[in-house]
Amino acid sequence: MQHKRKLIGVALGSGGMRGLAHIGILQVLEESDIPIDFVSGASVGAFMGAAYAAEMDLYALGAFAARLSRRDVLDPPNPFRSGVFSGKKFLKLCAIVTENRTFQETCVPFWCSAVDLETSLTCYLHEGSLAEAVRASIAIPGLLRPYSIGGRTYVDGGTVEAIPVDILRENGANIVIGVDLSIPAPYAPRKSTPYSVAFRSVDIMRAAIDRLKPPGADVLIRPDVSFMGRLVPHDAAKCIAIGRAAAAKALPAIRRLLAQHA
């Protein structure tokens, strides 16, 4: 009697520009014929997950990322609004990498997490414009302005849940591969700036949340991207390569799970 293989979900975590590592991880999973049936993402993980779900070539995505500068990603700062940066440029980037697709036009089911600013609840966006959903998920509090969709206002999906694992299990994933971009303590930024202090504070908060409710992925990939800043896209090739190495290291565990569930 022939058994159906188990379904695999990939949950891509938040982490700003450290999320370039997601590209290398997805590349290795594809090259290794690891099937991906579902994808979810928080913040930058939503950006990379949406690009994957919209069928953007992962190697073209890596080359595209390597050419990005701060000016391509961030608008001129305006600290007197609800966020230092408007996020308009990032919305344009989202539209480019998703080819203006909707959730109904993805190659795999995709969920994008964002936090409702009024209710404080995590929402999993799953319809409408991919670019707008990603823009909502990546609205880092205080830095990128909150984004409104359908009368609701959202901020960064990684604020409450850095790696959106549960939504994949709820929708049929039997095996979940999670990607964790957090930097464990002790860690001191190379430069102490308002941004680095804010981001490190977020890391500390998320670590505390994870201790109370661990991510729960079957395989957790943790690339060491501590050298990478959160806002400025630099050393893209190095970050992608580190993602590739981390994914390659996780392949035996993934294959063991697939064999157990065959």
Side-chain angles (χ1 to χ4, degrees):
M1 180 177 177
Q2 191 173 21
H3 297 279
K4 288 184 179 179
R5 70 166 179 81
K6 297 297 183 179
L7 301 177
I8 297 178
V10 176
L12 302 174
S14 59
M17 287 301 163
R18 297 169 184 165
L20 291 167
H22 288 318
I23 299 173
I25 289 165
L26 291 169
Q27 286 175 350
V28 168
L29 294 179
E30 275 203 344
E31 291 165 6
S32 306
D33 295 321
I34 302 299
I36 299 176
D37 301 291
F38 311 101
V39 178
S40 65
S43 198
V44 71
F47 180 86
M48 297 301 178
Y52 178 85
E55 300 180 274
M56 183 168 188
D57 180 270
L58 292 171
Y59 305 94
L61 180 59
F64 176 73
R67 294 195 299 270
L68 290 176
S69 68
R70 183 189 179 98
R71 289 184 181 180
D72 296 320
V73 177
L74 298 174
D75 315 273
N78 182 350
F80 302 106
R81 300 291 296 273
S82 54
V84 175
F85 305 104
S86 73
K88 290 180 180 178
K89 286 188 177 181
F90 214 99
L91 181 59
K92 288 181 180 178
L93 284 177
C94 296
I96 290 169
V97 301
T98 62
E99 297 181 328
N100 284 310
R101 292 194 192 191
T102 66
F103 281 88
Q104 288 67 41
E105 298 171 308
T106 57
C107 63
V108 294
F110 171 63
W111 290 267
C112 174
S113 70
V115 175
D116 187 312
L117 197 56
E118 180 181 347
T119 67
S120 76
L121 298 175
T122 297
C123 301
Y124 298 99
L125 305 176
H126 189 57
E127 59 182 29
S129 162
L130 283 172
E132 289 201 56
V134 171
R135 171 62 186 86
S137 181
I138 213 155
I140 304 164
L143 292 178
L144 285 180
R145 291 174 199 162
Y147 195 78
S148 296
I149 300 174
R152 309 304 300 180
T153 301
Y154 298 101
V155 293
D156 193 327
T159 305
V160 175
E161 182 186 36
I163 310 168
V165 168
D166 291 347
I167 188 65
L168 298 179
R169 294 204 191 280
E170 290 167 12
N171 284 277
N174 307 110
I175 299 169
V176 176
I177 301 166
V179 183
D180 181 5
L181 301 177
S182 65
I183 308 300
Y187 167 73
R190 284 176 292 181
K191 291 183 180 180
S192 183
T193 67
Y195 298 143
S196 68
V197 171
F199 282 129
R200 187 57 188 157
S201 299
V202 170
D203 280 341
I204 293 167
M205 177 187 71
R206 287 175 182 163
I209 292 171
D210 285 348
R211 284 194 292 272
L212 294 172
K213 184 182 180 296
D218 298 291
V219 176
L220 198 57
I221 300 175
R222 286 190 169 106
D224 181 1
V225 286
S226 55
F227 73 96
M228 190 77 172
R230 292 284 198 115
L231 283 179
V232 182
H234 72 284
D235 286 339
K238 179 179 178 181
C239 202
I240 292 168
I242 286 172
R244 290 183 61 88
K249 187 176 179 180
L251 281 176
I254 296 169
R255 289 193 169 119
R256 279 194 299 272
L257 282 171
L258 283 170
Q260 289 169 11
H261 290 288

